[in-house]
Amino acid sequence: MISLSTTLRARRGMMREWRLHALSIFSLAVAFVCFGASLLVVTNLRALEDRWAHAGRASVYLKDNAAADDIESVKQALLRVNGVKQVRYVSGQQARLDFGASQQERATALASLPAEAFPSTLEVEVVPEMTDAELVDMAAKLQKLPSVEDVETYQAWTERLSRLIRGGVAASALLALVVLGAVLAVVGSTIRLALQRRRTEVEVLKLVGATDRFVKGPYILEGSVQGAMGALGATGLLAILFMIVRGRLDGEFVNLLGLQPQFLPWYLVTALVCSGAVLGALAAMGSLRKLVLV
Amino acid sequence: MSRSEGPFAFRPALRAGARFSREAKDRPILTFESVYKSYRSGSPVLRGVHLTIERGEFVFVTGPSGAGKSTMLRLLYRSETVDDGRILFLGKDVARLRDDAVPFLRRNIGVVFQDFKLVPAWSVYENVAVALEVLSLPTRLVRTRVGEALERVGLSGRGNDLAGVLSGGEQQRVAIARAIVGEPALILADEPTGNLDPQLAIDILGLFEEINEGGTTVVFATHDRTLLEVRPRRVVVLDEGKALDVPQGIAIDSDDHYRLPN
């Protein structure tokens, strides 16, 4: 437990050596900005994964000779399936027109494509809660119907995206580890430097009968405060940078990724500050391990 | 004003759960039994030192430079450990104390150094109060006792001054106040007048004598011949690793040789 005396002595030490501590907090903030940025990337990659891991739709390709009644009965049957939000019929001609609208410069080449290149489809939109297994099961049942040629659930594509995102998460985690090392090194060096500058103080304390715990307490608290303040400063800095970037590129993000970038959630910010405090305390303990006795 | 009522008013600072033996009151405060210490093999600093100091005594420890005066004191407050022999403080063997018991030994010993060992960035008050802060005493009590200690050393009202800006004599007074504020059983002074001019040295010696009159045992290491001459007290002469006890004090020849009384 932290005593009042430990707190007062830590405060006194930090105020007397405020330049050293300010420099250390700044260095830590820089390290934590990298750590926070990697967390921010991970957070947004996760959101991207959540958004795209389930395609949320399927395309039911209909046979060329499928009768309108059959198509309508499949559509009605699909609408009754639990989890299906919307079913839209797209004729081959409509598909050609939609594709042509997005590829106007290749209009001549598109006109020469055969009719089979644009089969009629039923575009099925499902709720996000619908699992991959349920979608595959539905696709298998649809495939058995005589008017259905094929069913595309886009699973291969979402799996590829998931693998890509997992790679990104792993790379960010690795970066986070490097940053953790940097944090430990910065706090450790600062505490060692502070200890060196306050060597007489430690010597006096030991001479008047201070226990190791009494001597080390304020340094550990200082390390902890430095770590927490560094993390807090970094979060603030990151928030400002995030606002600036989002303000300028928000539209592009939505168009490109289909979602708005999000800042670190409050619990992650709290965890970052707490981990800063714990890391700072641990680094200080590490540097004080070999405290010279007088 | 002295808070101690005499040698038997002593109440040592003990570890939680530890008890002070009543029998320890009747034992000598300090006993060296065949103490050996060397920093390099083949050249011992102390070779079989025997010495007994009773409670309430004032003892000079003297000898040429390198004779082992400081080593003797460092062994006492366990900054060094003996190679062989025993040092009994209140009947407890200092050399055999566990490391976690050393702070409790030091709370019963006040140490004053030639270089004062003050924290220059701290105020006079803070430098003295630190000896009581380690005991976790209430702030009000710390304030009262620091005030009394500063009054005893003649620095009343100087509590807010920074230690670093004081004169040498004043800094030594602060160091003495720090040594006595915890009311220790024993004060060790390692060349406390080494950095002071002769008149100031005598003043500081007088301060130690006043502390001794209050019942505190004082071991005063010095090679300052004038101090030994002006105060004929018990002297322990360290030379070539041995201790020679001279209860009546010594005189020194003009060529710096110690002369024992007839």
Side-chain angles (χ1 to χ4, degrees):
Chain A
M1 197 178 140
I2 302 162
S3 69
L4 180 66
S5 158
T6 305
T7 314
L8 289 175
R9 284 183 299 128
R11 196 180 70 124
R12 188 165 64 185
M14 288 189 84
M15 285 175 76
R16 287 211 170 112
E17 310 243 319
W18 68 269
R19 281 190 192 86
L20 177 69
H21 285 90
L23 195 65
S24 166
I25 289 168
F26 177 74
S27 312
L28 283 172
V30 171
F32 270 110
V33 160
C34 301
F35 185 38
S38 65
L39 277 179
L40 198 60
V41 169
V42 170
T43 305
N44 283 284
L45 282 178
R46 288 259 180 241
L48 205 62
E49 193 179 13
D50 286 346
R51 168 70 180 81
W52 294 109
H54 307 287
R57 69 191 188 101
S59 295
V60 182
Y61 294 102
L62 302 165
K63 284 184 177 164
D64 292 341
N65 56 0
D69 289 350
D70 289 344
I71 294 169
E72 186 56 29
S73 61
V74 173
K75 188 178 171 183
Q76 291 308 318
L78 275 171
L79 283 169
R80 283 195 294 274
V81 172
N82 215 6
V84 172
K85 232 161 59 176
Q86 194 187 347
V87 181
R88 186 168 61 93
Y89 173 71
V90 180
S91 66
Q93 202 164 359
Q94 183 63 44
R96 186 188 286 270
L97 282 174
D98 289 349
F99 193 66
S102 62
Q103 304 281 327
Q104 280 171 350
E105 69 278 11
R106 294 177 193 162
T108 326
L110 285 173
S112 62
L113 285 172
E116 304 89 77
F118 296 98
S120 305
T121 58
L122 284 173
E123 295 299 326
V124 184
E125 200 180 324
V126 298
V127 293
E129 293 77 30
M130 192 173 200
T131 63
D132 289 346
E134 285 170 333
L135 196 63
V136 167
D137 187 45
M138 188 182 79
K141 284 176 184 163
L142 282 167
Q143 202 110 40
K144 287 177 188 161
L145 298 174
S147 53
V148 174
E149 178 77 46
D150 196 12
V151 181
E152 175 61 85
T153 55
Y154 304 101
Q155 264 201 306
W157 187 81
T158 54
E159 272 170 19
R160 270 203 301 275
L161 181 70
S162 287
R163 274 202 297 276
L164 195 70
I165 288 170
R166 278 198 294 274
V169 169
S172 300
L174 203 67
L175 177 65
L177 277 180
V178 173
V179 173
L180 282 189
V183 169
L184 288 175
V186 169
V187 175
S189 305
T190 311
I191 295 297
R192 270 194 293 273
L193 198 59
L195 198 65
Q196 198 60 38
R197 287 166 72 115
R198 278 143 72 180
R199 203 164 187 78
T200 316
E201 183 182 324
V202 173
E203 210 176 329
V204 166
L205 283 168
K206 300 295 286 182
L207 274 173
V208 297
T211 56
D212 274 0
R213 203 172 148 186
F214 187 91
V215 176
K216 290 176 182 178
Y219 291 98
I220 293 169
L221 190 60
E222 283 172 32
S224 180
V225 170
Q226 276 178 28
M229 285 178 78
L232 201 63
T235 312
L237 201 63
L238 211 56
I240 294 168
L241 288 173
F242 179 80
M243 297 287 192
I244 294 169
V245 171
R246 201 171 76 165
R248 295 190 176 183
L249 302 171
D250 201 17
E252 280 78 356
F253 276 124
V254 175
N255 287 339
L256 191 67
L257 305 170
L259 49 81
Q260 273 195 333
Q262 48 185 280
F263 191 63
L264 298 172
W266 67 268
Y267 57 84
L268 217 50
V269 171
T270 312
L272 192 68
V273 174
C274 291
S275 63
V278 171
L279 279 174
L282 287 176
M285 274 185 208
S287 345
L288 292 167
R289 211 159 27 101
K290 291 178 183 170
L291 182 69
V292 180
L293 297 174
V294 285
Chain B
M1 197 179 79
S2 167
R3 289 175 62 88
S4 302
E5 295 153 16
F8 299 108
F10 166 64
R11 286 186 302 279
L14 299 169
R15 273 184 299 161
R19 282 186 170 194
F20 177 60
S21 162
R22 287 184 180 280
E23 293 162 22
K25 281 183 176 178
D26 307 321
R27 294 185 191 130
I29 194 164
L30 210 54
T31 310
F32 281 69
E33 291 179 355
S34 196
V35 172
Y36 284 83
K37 176 69 188 174
S38 66
Y39 295 105
R40 281 173 298 164
S41 60
S43 55
V45 181
L46 301 179
R47 36 181 111 189
V49 170
H50 285 273
L51 181 67
T52 300
I53 296 173
E54 295 295 339
R55 197 179 293 271
E57 271 196 281
F58 188 115
V59 181
F60 280 120
V61 176
T62 192
S65 292
K69 302 186 291 293
S70 295
T71 298
M72 200 172 147
L73 301 192
R74 289 168 71 85
L75 290 172
L76 254 166
Y77 62 86
R78 256 294 288 274
S79 182
E80 302 281 353
T81 47
V82 298
D83 293 341
D84 199 11
R86 298 203 303 168
I87 298 176
L88 303 176
F89 172 64
L90 294 165
K92 285 259 184 195
D93 188 354
V94 169
R96 269 126 200 112
L97 284 179
R98 289 205 322 261
D99 280 350
D100 62 353
V102 172
F104 299 91
L105 163 78
R106 292 180 182 171
R107 289 175 192 184
N108 292 297
I109 300 176
V111 192
V112 181
F113 297 92
Q114 179 175 354
D115 60 356
F116 323 129
K117 289 223 188 305
L118 299 179
V119 183
W122 286 5
S123 67
V124 167
Y125 175 87
E126 288 170 330
N127 268 288
V128 179
V130 69
L132 299 178
E133 279 172 4
V134 300
L135 303 172
S136 303
L137 293 182
T139 314
R140 191 177 295 177
L141 185 60
V142 171
R143 212 175 295 141
T144 311
R145 286 177 64 171
V146 171
E148 286 173 4
L150 288 176
E151 197 179 326
R152 283 179 74 182
V153 299
L155 287 176
S156 193
R158 303 288 301 274
N160 291 327
D161 293 357
L162 277 185
V165 300
L166 300 181
S167 68
E170 286 171 332
Q171 287 197 40
Q172 195 57 290
R173 284 171 187 272
V174 177
I176 293 169
R178 183 182 64 200
I180 62 170
V181 75
E183 298 183 354
L186 176 66
I187 300 265
L188 304 176
D190 189 2
E191 301 277 6
T193 57
N195 282 349
L196 308 177
D197 64 56
Q199 187 50 51
L200 257 170
I202 290 169
D203 289 350
I204 293 292
L205 175 61
L207 206 50
F208 279 104
E209 285 175 329
E210 274 176 43
I211 293 162
N212 174 246
E213 279 162 21
T216 309
T217 311
V218 176
V219 177
F220 193 109
T222 183
H223 67 269
D224 186 344
R225 45 188 277 185
T226 47
L227 292 182
L228 302 178
E229 283 173 339
V230 296
R231 299 286 198 276
R233 287 180 175 273
R234 180 184 173 191
V235 178
V236 173
V237 182
L238 282 178
D239 202 6
E240 295 186 345
K242 296 275 184 188
L244 177 65
D245 202 348
V246 190
Q248 303 306 315
I250 55 171
I252 300 166
D253 288 338
S254 55
D255 53 353
D256 270 5
H257 287 127
Y258 296 106
R259 182 162 47 78
L260 304 181
N262 296 322

